[in-house]
Amino acid sequence: MNINKQFLPEALTAATKEFRCAWDLLEKMGQEITQNDYEGAVSAAEGFIRSSRELEAMKDRKKRHDHYENLLSEMHVKGVSAELVIRYEIDYYGRT
């Protein structure tokens, strides 16, 4: 897993912790099943799902960030100022 490309730089520490947590929970599920503790296995599975969803959310934030970076780059190449677009939006829609 190349974590550097999947998450924003400021989210790398949190993503690494979440990834390790998910991995540990997978191992815990196996241990609980082996010990016939199905309730414990379900609890570990729920934690794994939470960690997986958090990783997905962090990945989506990176994807949105990259999309906007590409959009700004394309605007720059076309000579459109991002400040002008923001100013137009404020003038047109009002400050929110």
Side-chain angles (χ1 to χ4, degrees):
M1 174 174 114
N2 190 347
I3 199 165
N4 293 325
K5 293 184 178 183
Q6 289 190 33
F7 306 104
L8 292 167
E10 59 270 17
L12 286 176
T13 301
T16 301
K17 287 179 182 178
E18 205 64 57
F19 180 81
R20 288 182 182 149
C21 180
W23 194 258
D24 289 344
L25 287 164
L26 276 175
E27 187 176 311
K28 184 169 176 58
M29 279 189 284
Q31 292 170 353
E32 300 294 359
I33 290 288
T34 302
Q35 297 170 2
N36 298 322
D37 182 359
Y38 305 113
E39 191 173 313
V42 168
S43 178
E46 290 168 346
F48 175 79
I49 290 168
R50 279 191 301 276
S51 289
S52 297
R53 286 187 175 147
E54 184 58 34
L55 286 166
E56 187 67 28
M58 285 189 262
K59 183 176 145 186
D60 287 345
R61 284 192 287 277
K62 169 76 160 88
K63 187 176 179 180
R64 280 193 311 276
H65 176 270
D66 289 349
H67 170 75
Y68 289 123
E69 285 288 320
N70 290 334
L71 183 61
L72 286 172
S73 179
E74 288 175 19
M75 288 171 55
H76 179 72
V77 168
K78 293 178 181 179
V80 177
S81 167
E83 291 83 12
L84 181 64
V85 172
I86 292 168
R87 175 68 184 225
Y88 174 78
E89 180 183 21
I90 291 170
D91 289 347
Y92 187 78
Y93 294 108
R95 198 172 290 273
T96 56

